[in-house]
């Protein structure tokens, strides 16, 4: 079937907005012209023969391009959640798409299953969205290009969207509300601040401020998070308005936010909609939000309401709310055969009971059907009941604005019921409340009494089994290790100022509580890490490779210096690990100035204890000169003293950190790093090879500081942290294999560095045991102090026993690290927070 209809006009018009910013992310800024080029390229690959395309959507640039490209090429698009493999699999089986676009191994891939479509596709069909959130239900809403265009124009009109607006993608792309934000802003040539971060994450607000964000959209739960993060105290000078939909927001909160906006210079738009209306059907004019916070408002431009009389709701001006307008769907699809259908629906019966007030504003007063809207997701309680029956539970389910209430009988485990119901509804488990009853509530007719279920008191039986792995215990652990009494379940490790030293102990302690950790645990909210129970004692443990390498390297360094054995290369491997940690903990989404402050703190964390220890040791032993104390020996000399080389690694690390901080202080470089997070460090590594191979002949002119010769190792570690694709990992591995050999002319030493670096790139975690994790965490977390102090321990203990010298060196360094941490905690908190640095390594 050849292309018969064109895409929505806002998709065709992308290139007309020229060089205006279209997409802003933490890494890049893309103009409309550049976005249009990417869309056209992928549309060309998809071709003009119409096929059913399934896209696993996510708030990422590649997925956004794929969404627009499918529309631009005229292919009906089935948009599914990118974070739910089960839902994707269910819909793939149900609809057998011709093309599947989804992320595999961190890379978006286009799988063309057949060159033409096996389905009959109606020429008006443009988009298919689920009616029930992310559960994988085969019931889909069929939307046309005209639906998308009409709703985008209506929203842009009443919100007064301008080409200077910048809207954060606080909601998922596969959700009609989140998608409407994208469509309406692209229509007006405004920019999208594209992110999948939660508003509870400090990195989100760093990005929003840096992008000069003007717009936030949220469901009721979003406003819960805004309250928790102190939104009312935030300074957001560019914010123009908030929008709310996806369920009823308490009128008290509507009035409170409307008042806050009036005082701060922004507006609150409360909105009402359904997927079946492409997104929006009504909005409450902001000037009425304080006086009429319970209302949904008036129809959107181009739409109209009527009230269908209901026998159970005889009150005047009350009935089922029925909507008509150009954004009403074509109809439903429940199987591939339905994709051939044209329009089967002329108006939308919402299932909501509404009342029209004397002022013309509409207000929702109940439900005519059995659906519930929870966290912005449309939930069918009867479908959840059927799922529970298949799992062996007899239960009734009823929904409120904020939770799904489940009444179960037969003495089941309430936690199992809760998780089964949550999975069926596509809700977080915290949004399900379970009551185990002797008998299920029924009406005199024998039918289920859902009003009684909905009215069950909050705590007749606990719905959650407290466990040592829950969010509260994790919150206390974060507070203890990071010395932050203000920790909330929505905080993240990086957001709380965690660094590479505290990362070591935190990861090990979390492994003990939770078992395997996700690779991105340090940027994951505490509540999302919580598990219902601690892992069994026999569960296999893992250890972060970067932590293992730091622990191994410091043991190798000290043992080789004694010498108890000779395994060289540990310090050079640590330089690569330092670059790896620098990228993970310093190069966040924060604005440039905050990044520089973080880099300064990292440098201070290395410099201050080093200078203090070398000064004291030099005063006692007479081994060190002033240039040693000031970490300038590799520059000013002397270069021939017996102790001149002892702190080369400290000096090299500090010089490299200072140089990198200075480089990133240049706005153009900072922008380049965000746009090319892998390319920039790889380019710096290539530049560093100029001095690695001494192409300018510097060695002939005199002593060359180690930082100049070894800086490429730091840059290569930085690139390794940014290598998210297989091809990128292959590139950095090949770079190490090509450039490390020949560095010393010692094959074993060079092989040790290459082997450790390869592990860092390809194996993020290693099999381990609890005791080994504890030991590695202690050694890695104390590595700087072990490196500093072992020079004084070796001459004293070494003559007696080299093995004992190693043990005592490690113990003294560990003790010094613990003492410094205890001393820091005694410093008044305001002073500590101003001076507290972030560590990079060793």
């Amino acid at each position: 079937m050849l292309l018969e209809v064109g895409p929505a006009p806002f998709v065709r018009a992308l290139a007309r907005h020229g060089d205006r910013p279209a997409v802003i992310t933490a890494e890049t800024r893309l103009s409309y012209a550049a976005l249009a080029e990417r869309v056209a390229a992928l549309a060309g690959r998809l071709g003009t023969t119409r096929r059913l395309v399934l896209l696993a959507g996510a708030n990422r640039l590649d997925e956004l391009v794929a969404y627009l490209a499918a529309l631009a090429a005229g292919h009906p698009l089935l948009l599914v959640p990118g974070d739910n493999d089960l839902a994707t699999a269910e819909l793939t089986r149900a609809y057998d798409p011709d093309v599947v676009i989804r992320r595999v191994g961190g890379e978006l891939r286009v799988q063309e299953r057949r060159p033409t479509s096996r389905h009959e596709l109606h020429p008006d069909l443009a988009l298919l969205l689920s009616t029930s959130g992310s559960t994988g239900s085969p019931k889909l809403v069929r939307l046309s290009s005209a639906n998308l265009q009409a709703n985008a124009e209506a929203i842009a009109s009443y919100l007064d969207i301008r080409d200077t607006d910048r809207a954060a993608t606080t909601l998922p792309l596969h959700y009609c509300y989140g998608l409407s934000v994208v469509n309406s802003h692209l229509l007006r040539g405004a920019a999208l601040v594209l992110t999948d971060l939660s508003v509870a994450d400090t990195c989100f607000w760093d990005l929003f401020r840096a992008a000069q964000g003007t717009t936030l959209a949220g469901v009721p739960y979003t406003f819960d998070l805004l309250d928790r993060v102190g939104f009312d105290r935030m300074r957001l000078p560019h914010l123009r308005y908030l929008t709310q939909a996806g369920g009823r927001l308490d009128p008290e909160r509507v009035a409170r936010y409307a008042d806050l906006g009036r005082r701060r210079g922004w507006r609150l738009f409360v909105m009402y909609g359904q997927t079946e209306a492409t997104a929006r059907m009504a909005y409450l004019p902001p000037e009425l939000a304080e006086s009429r916070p319970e209302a949904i408002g008036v129809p959107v431009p181009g739409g109209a309401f009527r009230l269908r009389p209901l026998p159970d709701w005889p009150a005047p001006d009350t009935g089922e709310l029925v909507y008509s307008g150009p954004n009403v769907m074509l109809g439903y699809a429940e199987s591939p055969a339905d994709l051939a259908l044209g329009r089967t629906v002329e108006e939308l019966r919402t299932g909501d009971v509404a009342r029209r007030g004397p002022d013309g504003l509409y207000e929702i007063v109940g439900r005519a059907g059995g659906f519930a809207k929870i966290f912005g997701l449309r939930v069918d309680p009867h479908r959840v009941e059927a799922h529970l029956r298949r799992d062996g539970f007899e239960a009734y389910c009823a929904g409120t604005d904020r939770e799904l209430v489940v009444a179960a009988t037969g003495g089941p485990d309430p936690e199992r019921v809760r998780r089964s119901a949550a999975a069926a509804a596509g809700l977080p488990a915290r949004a399900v409340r379970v009551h185990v009853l002797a008998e299920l509530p029924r009406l005199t007719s024998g039918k289920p009494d859902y009003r009684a279920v909905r009215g069950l008191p909050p705590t007749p039986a606990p719905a959650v089994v407290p466990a040592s792995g829950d969010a509260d215990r994790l919150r206390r652990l974060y507070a203890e290790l990071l010395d932050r009494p203000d920790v909330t379940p929505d905080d993240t490790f990086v957001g709380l100022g965690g660094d590479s030293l505290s990362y070591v102990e935190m990861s090990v302690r979390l492994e003990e509580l939770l078992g395997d950790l996700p690779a991105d645990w340090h940027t994951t909210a505490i509540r999302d890490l919580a598990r219902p129970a601690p892992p069994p004692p026999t569960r296999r443990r893992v250890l972060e490779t970067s932590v293992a390498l730091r622990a191994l390297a410091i043991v190798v360094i000290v043992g080789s210096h004694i010498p108890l054995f000779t395994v060289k290369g540990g310090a050079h491997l640590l330089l690569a690990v330092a670059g790896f940690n620098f990228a993970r903990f310093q190069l966040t989404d924060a604005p440039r100035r905050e990044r520089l402050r973080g880099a300064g703190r990292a440098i201070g964390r290395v410099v201050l204890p080093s200078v203090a220890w070398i000064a004291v040791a030099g005063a006692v032993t007479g081994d060190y000169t002033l240039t040693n104390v000031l970490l300038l020996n590799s520059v000013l000399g002397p270069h021939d003293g017996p102790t001149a080389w002892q702190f080369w690694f400290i000096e090299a690390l500090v010089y490299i950190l200072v140089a990198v901080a200075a480089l990133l202080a240049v706005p153009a470089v900072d922008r380049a790093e965000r746009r090319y997070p892998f390319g920039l460090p790889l380019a710096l590594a290539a530049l560093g090879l100029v001095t690695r191979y001494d192409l300018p002949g510097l060695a002939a002119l005199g002593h060359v500081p180690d930082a100049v010769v070894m800086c490429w190792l730091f840059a290569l570690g930085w690139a390794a942290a940014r290598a998210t694709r297989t091809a990128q990992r292959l590139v950095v591995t090949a770079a190490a294999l090509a450039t490390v050999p020949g560095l010393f002319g010692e094959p074993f030493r060079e092989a040790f560095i290459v082997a450790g670096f390869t592990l860092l790139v390809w194996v993020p975690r290693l099999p381990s045991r609890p005791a080994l994790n504890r030991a590695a965490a202690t050694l890695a977390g104390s590595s700087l102090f072990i490196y500093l102090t072992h020079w004084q321990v070796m001459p004293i203990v070494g003559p007696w026993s080299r093995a004992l010298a190693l043990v005592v060196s490690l113990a003294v360094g560990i003790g010094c690290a613990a003492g410094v941490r205890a001393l820091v905690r005694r410093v008044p908190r305001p002073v500590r927070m101003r001076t507290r640095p972030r560590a990079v390594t060793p």
Side-chain angles (χ1 to χ4, degrees), residues 69-307:
L71 294 182
H75 301 286
L77 177 66
L78 171 51
L79 195 53
V80 303
D83 59 353
N84 190 327
D85 291 339
L86 180 60
T88 301
E90 289 288 341
L91 287 166
T92 300
R93 280 195 293 270
Y95 282 90
D96 190 18
D98 306 306
V99 181
V100 174
I101 305 177
R102 63 180 304 181
R103 197 163 284 272
V104 179
E107 184 176 355
L108 197 68
R109 296 186 181 176
V110 179
Q111 178 191 3
E112 300 190 62
R113 306 172 80 190
R114 55 187 70 92
T116 59
S117 182
R118 67 182 307 166
H119 309 293
E120 185 179 348
L121 305 172
H122 193 277
D124 290 341
L125 182 62
L127 184 65
L128 295 159
L129 295 177
S130 173
T131 62
S132 56
S134 57
T135 62
S137 169
K139 187 174 184 179
L140 303 175
V141 169
R142 296 181 291 115
L143 300 172
S144 67
S145 293
N147 291 151
L148 298 177
Q149 184 72 20
N151 206 231
E153 289 177 351
I155 294 169
S157 174
Y158 70 75
L159 290 182
D160 184 28
I161 297 176
R162 307 165 187 174
D163 61 8
T164 54
D165 279 324
R166 296 181 174 185
T169 56
T170 46
L171 301 166
L173 186 68
H174 69 267
Y175 174 35
C176 69
Y177 184 8
L179 197 62
S180 72
V181 173
V182 171
N183 295 344
S184 58
H185 283 79
L186 293 181
L187 172 77
R188 288 290 178 88
L192 300 173
V193 183
L194 191 62
T195 177
D196 58 1
L197 294 172
S198 165
V199 297
D201 195 323
T202 55
C203 294
F204 170 86
W205 296 107
D206 292 337
L207 173 61
F208 190 75
R209 292 187 184 95
Q212 299 182 353
T214 64
T215 305
L216 288 174
V219 296
Y221 181 60
T222 309
F223 286 78
D224 290 343
L225 298 180
L226 291 178
D227 283 346
R228 293 176 191 172
V229 300
F231 175 79
D232 59 340
R233 300 186 299 274
M234 290 185 182
R235 184 176 178 275
L236 302 168
H238 301 283
L239 183 63
R240 286 212 308 125
Y241 57 88
L242 302 185
T243 65
Q244 183 274 320
R248 183 175 183 267
L249 191 63
D250 290 338
E252 177 276 330
R253 186 174 285 182
V254 171
R256 177 159 56 85
Y257 269 85
D259 172 68
L260 176 64
R262 179 172 48 78
R263 290 186 283 109
R264 294 291 181 85
W266 49 262
R267 300 189 296 169
L268 173 68
F269 285 86
V270 174
M271 307 185 299
Y272 167 78
Q274 291 180 1
T275 309
E276 289 86 341
T278 318
R280 302 278 72 80
M281 291 182 281
Y283 73 99
L284 181 62
E287 61 272 15
L288 300 177
E290 288 186 78
S291 60
R292 289 283 269 128
E294 70 282 1
I296 62 168
V298 298
V300 300
F305 285 133
R306 71 178 179 87
L307 297 175

Side-chain angles (χ1 to χ4, degrees), residues 478-542:
Y478 275 61
E480 172 194 345
L481 295 187
L482 297 179
D483 192 24
R484 290 287 300 267
D486 55 338
V487 177
T488 72
D490 297 304
D491 283 324
T492 66
F493 175 80
V494 170
L496 290 168
D499 55 37
S500 62
L501 293 183
S502 51
Y503 177 90
V504 173
E505 186 174 1
M506 182 67 76
S507 64
V508 171
R509 294 282 293 275
L510 288 175
E511 288 277 1
E512 292 176 356
L513 287 174
L514 307 179
D516 292 349
L517 291 175
D520 61 349
W521 72 263
H522 56 297
T523 57
T524 299
I526 293 171
R527 69 168 65 256
D528 293 329
L529 287 175
R531 306 280 177 88
T538 58
R539 184 169 181 171
R540 182 181 69 88
R541 294 287 194 270
V542 295

Side-chain angles (χ1 to χ4, degrees), residues 10-83:
F10 78 86
V11 179
R12 295 199 303 265
L14 291 176
R16 296 179 189 172
H17 301 296
D19 292 331
R20 296 202 59 79
V23 181
I24 301 171
T25 72
E27 295 81 23
T28 188
R29 294 189 177 216
L30 200 68
S31 69
Y32 269 92
L35 176 63
E37 287 180 5
R38 294 196 185 191
V39 170
L42 183 53
R45 177 177 174 183
L46 294 174
T48 57
T49 300
R50 297 186 81 214
R51 293 182 288 177
L52 179 62
V53 177
L54 182 144
L55 169 63
N59 291 0
R60 299 189 182 97
L61 180 56
D62 288 343
E63 281 82 351
L64 175 65
V65 169
Y67 162 70
L68 296 170
L71 294 182
H75 301 286
L77 177 66
L78 171 51
L79 195 53
V80 303
D83 59 353

Side-chain angles (χ1 to χ4, degrees), residues 673-711:
E673 192 283 325
R674 296 175 194 270
R675 185 170 184 179
Y676 307 107
F678 176 74
L680 178 67
L682 198 65
L684 292 177
L687 185 63
L689 293 177
V690 172
T691 51
R692 146 70 177 102
Y693 291 105
D694 195 20
L695 299 182
L698 298 177
L701 303 177
H703 178 78
V704 181
D706 291 292
V708 176
V709 179
M710 300 299 175
C711 61

